[in-house]
């Protein structure tokens, strides 16, 4: 099954008119639906054989859904994560500049980072390591860079009083309006970065 999944994911082809972000989200949505069907098809094996093997300490054995996610991470996500995050951050910057973007693609891609944070030792434990390392850190860095430039430019054309009101407005927008993109873990570090 793992071999089949690797070959299946490797054979994905991107349409000529789509960005990598659009391609990734389109394939991710379809793949995760397929993974749910596979999980149901292998339900008996998951409930009996996989549970017995894992309870015997064999941490390299996974249920089918986890195997699907781990294979996606190895084949699709890990080799392409930098380009994917770069495109996501470009989309967020475009939105900050007042452009209309396809928010659903950005949200779906970021949610995939959370889903791909798998702790092989404890599959039930939420692991945000992939999300934090791959998305949150670059997102916070880009946010700081963006608003340093924005602030310097704004202060050359406006008074300090206007700047304070503008800063308050931006912080409120970022903390409330952008909440759909990031996991709750990002709330505190984003607030610190914005301040």
């Amino acid at each position: 099954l793992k071999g089949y999944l690797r070959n299946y994911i490797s054979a994905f082809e991107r349409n000529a008119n789509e960005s990598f972000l659009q391609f990734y989200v389109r394939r991710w949505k379809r793949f995760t639906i397929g993974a749910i069907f596979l999980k149901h098809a292998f339900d008996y094996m998951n409930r009996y054989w996989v549970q017995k093997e894992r309870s015997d300490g064999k941490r390299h054995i996974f249920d089918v859904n986890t195997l699907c996610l781990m294979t996606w991470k190895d084949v699709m996500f890990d080799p392409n994560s930098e380009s994917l995050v770069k495109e996501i951050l470009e989309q967020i910057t475009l939105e900050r500049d007042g452009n209309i973007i396809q928010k659903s693609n950005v949200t779906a891609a970021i949610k995939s980072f959370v889903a791909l944070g798998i702790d092989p030792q404890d599959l039930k434990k939420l692991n945000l390591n992939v999300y934090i390392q791959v998305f949150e850190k670059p997102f916070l860095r880009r946010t700081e860079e963006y608003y340093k430039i924005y602030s310097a430019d704004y202060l050359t054309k406006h008074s300090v009083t206007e700047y304070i009101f503008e800063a308050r407005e931006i912080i409120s927008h970022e903390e409330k309006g952008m909440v759909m993109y990031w996991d709750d873990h990002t709330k505190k570090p984003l607030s610190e970065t914005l301040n």
Side-chain angles (χ1 to χ4, degrees):
L1 180 60
K2 187 175 184 180
Y4 170 81
L5 291 168
R6 291 184 77 84
N7 292 336
Y8 177 73
I9 296 167
S10 299
F12 289 163
E13 289 186 22
R14 190 165 129 194
N15 296 335
N17 62 341
E18 68 183 344
S19 68
F20 184 76
L21 174 61
Q22 291 167 326
F23 163 73
Y24 178 90
V25 169
R26 179 174 60 85
R27 299 311 301 191
W28 167 255
K29 286 178 178 177
R30 189 174 167 102
F31 183 80
T32 52
I33 290 167
I36 291 166
F37 281 103
L38 277 176
K39 179 179 135 185
H40 291 307
F42 286 94
D43 184 54
Y44 184 82
M45 185 184 76
N46 280 338
R47 282 187 293 139
Y48 296 100
W49 185 77
V50 172
Q51 277 192 1
K52 182 193 174 305
E53 294 295 302
R54 287 194 63 84
S55 66
D56 289 347
K58 295 181 181 165
R59 295 293 177 224
H60 65 285
I61 306 277
F62 304 102
D63 64 86
V64 171
N65 192 52
T66 304
L67 179 69
C68 288
L69 293 175
M70 291 177 79
T71 307
W72 176 272
K73 185 177 180 301
D74 289 346
V75 179
M76 176 61 75
F77 180 78
D78 287 346
N80 299 298
S81 62
E82 278 185 36
S83 342
L84 180 60
V85 170
K86 183 175 176 273
E87 283 190 37
I88 290 169
L89 294 176
E90 285 168 0
Q91 290 296 303
I92 291 172
T93 300
L94 283 170
E95 187 179 14
R96 285 175 173 155
D97 289 341
N99 297 295
I100 295 170
I101 63 162
Q102 198 167 4
K103 293 179 181 185
S104 61
N105 281 345
V106 174
T107 306
I110 293 170
K111 286 186 189 297
S112 80
F113 302 167
V114 175
L116 294 172
I118 298 164
D119 182 350
Q121 300 307 311
D122 185 0
L123 300 178
K124 291 180 174 74
K125 188 172 115 188
L126 179 65
N127 183 344
L128 292 175
N129 197 35
V130 170
Y131 169 82
I132 291 168
Q133 295 304 318
V134 174
F135 172 73
E136 186 183 79
K137 287 183 178 182
F139 169 70
L140 294 173
R141 238 186 344 267
R142 177 72 71 92
T143 299
E144 185 174 353
E145 291 164 4
Y146 179 87
Y147 283 116
K148 275 185 178 175
I149 294 166
Y150 183 92
S151 296
D153 184 53
Y154 193 88
L155 279 168
T156 61
K157 301 169 187 154
H158 300 86
S159 70
V160 174
T161 309
E162 290 173 306
Y163 171 77
I164 290 169
F165 284 111
E166 177 71 5
R168 188 179 301 152
E169 192 66 35
I170 286 171
I171 289 171
S172 174
H173 171 73
E174 286 279 338
E175 291 179 345
K176 292 183 179 100
M178 304 285 268
V179 74
M180 70 170 58
Y181 295 135
W182 29 263
D183 185 81
D184 281 346
H185 180 274
T186 306
K187 195 173 194 170
K188 187 171 184 261
L190 177 63
S191 183
E192 290 167 1
T193 300
L194 291 168
N195 282 319

